[in-house]
Amino acid sequence: MIKRRKIAILGGSFDPIHAGHLQIAKSALHIGMDEVWLMVTKDTPLKERTLTPAIHRIEMIERTIAPYRHIHCCDMELRREGKSYTIDTVRELQQRYPDDTFYWLIGSDQAMQLDAWKDVEELTRRVQMIVFTRKGPQVKSSYPLVFQPMELVDVSSSEIRNGEKWHYLHPSLRRYIAQNGLYLDSFIRHHLSAKRYEHCVRVASLSVELAQAHGYDEKKAWQIGMLHDLCKEIGKERLFQWMRLFFPEQCDEPPAIWHGYVGSILAKRWYGVEDPVILHAIYHHVKGESEDPYAMIIFCGDKLERGRGYDTSEQIALCKQDLHRGFLRVKQEQQAYLKKEK
């Protein structure tokens, strides 16, 4: 006689998956589940946010769960047309796997929103819902829930997207996120003021235009543009600490230049960039001492972005026609300006 498998489903956007998700999945195995399936949602009916493309979310899940034989990724909801609700998934699972018993794993925040779930009465009749929650007083519910108190990892996907608590990510994910430019917009928005963020977006947009004009990688140009002022607002004292640690020989240069040097370090440490071309371009974007194509693109993009308050259309047109000539023109004008302003 074939034993009925006890399969626990942990649904979510996993945008991205982190140590908190993995902790719940492993805990479910410890309380007697035979397998845990991570059910990747196509959208989030109770949240208004555009999700990262599923291909990236699945890849990050697969990298994270690779060492665990009894934890699997399930794309059933991704393949369903239209809005996808938990009750629809449960019905399909029970139809496709009638010899297995399914459980649904949720957090206490979801338990408090069950009234908003579609056909929740039928749902709680069909599957036992297990609530993984922090130790202490439990959420009161009119539904038949099983509570599993535990010491939950203090991290959320939104914190990860903002560039916080990245130590709760699987090590390979930091590299994957940087390589694909994931969460870059929210990462920069979180680290900079609104005014500086908008400047970075304009620089990135113009950098993409210049890269496109000359056949260079537009995604790489966008990433450089978004990251070039990453540490512009961390303060002179913190900048000096980084300078003294990594660039002691350049500490005598004006502090207004430091953020280019330090940015090349923090783009790697904070966001995970390993591409030497990106780091090189960030390093040189202030003084324009490199004629690497991407370094020239970001130097021109930074100085000519359309929010500067003066007409840069002539210089932009020259850069699109001849990047090197445009770069030399912009650099010459920048040097003349600095000399005038002393």
Side-chain angles (χ1 to χ4, degrees):
M1 180 177 178
I2 300 177
K3 177 187 175 183
R4 293 178 67 90
R5 292 182 301 175
K6 297 170 68 175
I7 301 174
I9 306 295
L10 177 60
S13 59
F14 301 103
D15 196 11
I17 184 172
H18 53 66
H21 297 127
L22 197 59
Q23 178 198 31
I24 291 175
K26 292 193 291 185
S27 297
L29 295 174
H30 292 157
I31 63 172
M33 299 295 134
D34 297 305
E35 296 180 12
V36 176
W37 294 1
L38 306 183
M39 184 68 65
V40 188
T41 58
K42 182 190 298 184
D43 51 35
T44 49
L46 300 181
K47 297 179 181 179
E48 293 297 328
R49 185 178 69 81
T50 301
L51 299 181
T52 300
I55 187 172
H56 292 305
R57 291 185 283 136
I58 288 178
E59 178 61 27
M60 289 188 284
I61 290 172
E62 295 290 1
R63 288 172 179 238
T64 301
I65 67 175
Y68 305 98
R69 291 188 302 118
H70 300 291
I71 303 177
H72 308 284
C73 181
C74 184
D75 65 354
M76 178 185 293
E77 292 192 0
L78 296 174
R79 291 183 277 105
R80 186 181 299 137
E81 294 297 327
K83 282 279 187 180
S84 185
Y85 295 95
T86 301
I87 185 61
D88 301 321
T89 301
V90 169
R91 290 167 183 158
E92 184 175 351
L93 285 169
Q94 292 179 336
Q95 183 179 9
R96 292 176 60 176
Y97 306 98
D99 296 328
D100 297 320
T101 301
F102 289 94
Y103 300 78
W104 204 272
L105 311 179
I106 61 174
S108 56
D109 58 334
Q110 295 170 306
M112 292 186 290
Q113 299 182 66
L114 281 178
D115 284 334
W117 289 35
K118 182 182 178 183
D119 297 338
V120 65
E121 290 82 5
E122 179 187 350
L123 176 63
T124 53
R125 287 197 305 269
R126 283 180 172 270
V127 294
Q128 177 66 71
M129 304 196 80
I130 302 175
V131 184
F132 282 86
T133 184
R134 298 185 186 282
K135 294 180 179 179
Q138 303 305 320
V139 177
K140 293 184 179 180
S141 176
S142 58
Y143 303 104
L145 309 178
V146 172
F147 290 91
Q148 185 66 36
M150 60 185 293
E151 293 294 337
L152 293 173
V153 174
D154 185 22
V155 63
S156 67
S157 292
S158 61
E159 289 176 312
I160 299 291
R161 292 192 297 273
N162 288 338
E164 301 174 342
K165 301 184 178 181
W166 279 37
H167 55 286
Y168 287 120
L169 286 174
H170 188 276
S172 69
L173 296 198
R174 294 191 62 172
R175 187 180 310 113
Y176 183 85
I177 288 171
Q179 287 173 344
N180 292 278
L182 305 183
Y183 316 122
L184 184 54
D185 186 84
S186 59
F187 178 86
I188 296 300
R189 190 189 295 270
H190 185 74
H191 279 83
L192 298 175
S193 65
K195 183 178 180 180
R196 181 61 53 182
Y197 161 78
E198 290 163 3
H199 163 73
C200 289
V201 171
R202 292 192 298 268
V203 171
S205 297
L206 180 53
S207 297
V208 168
E209 290 181 39
L210 298 179
Q212 187 178 41
H214 298 286
Y216 293 113
D217 189 326
E218 297 171 32
K219 291 183 178 179
K220 188 172 293 189
W222 174 265
Q223 202 169 126
I224 296 168
M226 291 296 285
L227 288 166
H228 80 285
D229 273 354
L230 174 61
C231 61
K232 183 78 170 182
E233 298 176 331
I234 66 173
K236 183 178 176 180
E237 290 187 8
R238 288 186 66 192
L239 274 176
F240 180 69
Q241 291 173 359
W242 287 103
M243 287 293 295
R244 190 169 56 183
L245 182 62
F246 288 98
F247 309 105
E249 67 282 1
Q250 282 120 311
C251 283
D252 291 335
E253 295 187 24
I257 296 174
W258 293 351
H259 72 279
Y261 302 139
V262 177
S264 67
I265 297 296
L266 299 189
K268 181 175 183 178
R269 290 191 166 221
W270 287 359
Y271 186 65
V273 175
E274 294 185 351
D275 188 331
V277 172
I278 294 177
L279 300 177
H280 176 87
I282 294 172
Y283 179 94
H284 287 287
H285 87 268
V286 181
K287 296 170 66 177
E289 292 185 335
S290 170
E291 295 188 1
D292 173 84
Y294 293 97
M296 290 193 292
I297 285 173
I298 186 58
F299 180 79
C300 295
D302 185 29
K303 305 302 183 291
L304 303 178
E305 62 97 344
R306 296 178 178 92
R308 284 292 188 182
Y310 48 86
D311 185 10
T312 58
S313 56
E314 181 185 347
Q315 294 94 325
I316 291 174
L318 178 59
C319 290
K320 288 184 177 181
Q321 180 183 14
D322 187 320
L323 179 60
H324 188 255
R325 281 182 57 208
F327 166 73
L328 294 178
R329 164 85 176 270
V330 174
K331 187 173 180 180
Q332 182 181 26
E333 292 178 351
Q334 177 73 2
Q335 290 172 341
Y337 169 80
L338 293 176
K339 183 178 181 180
K340 176 183 177 183
E341 296 296 321
K342 298 182 180 180

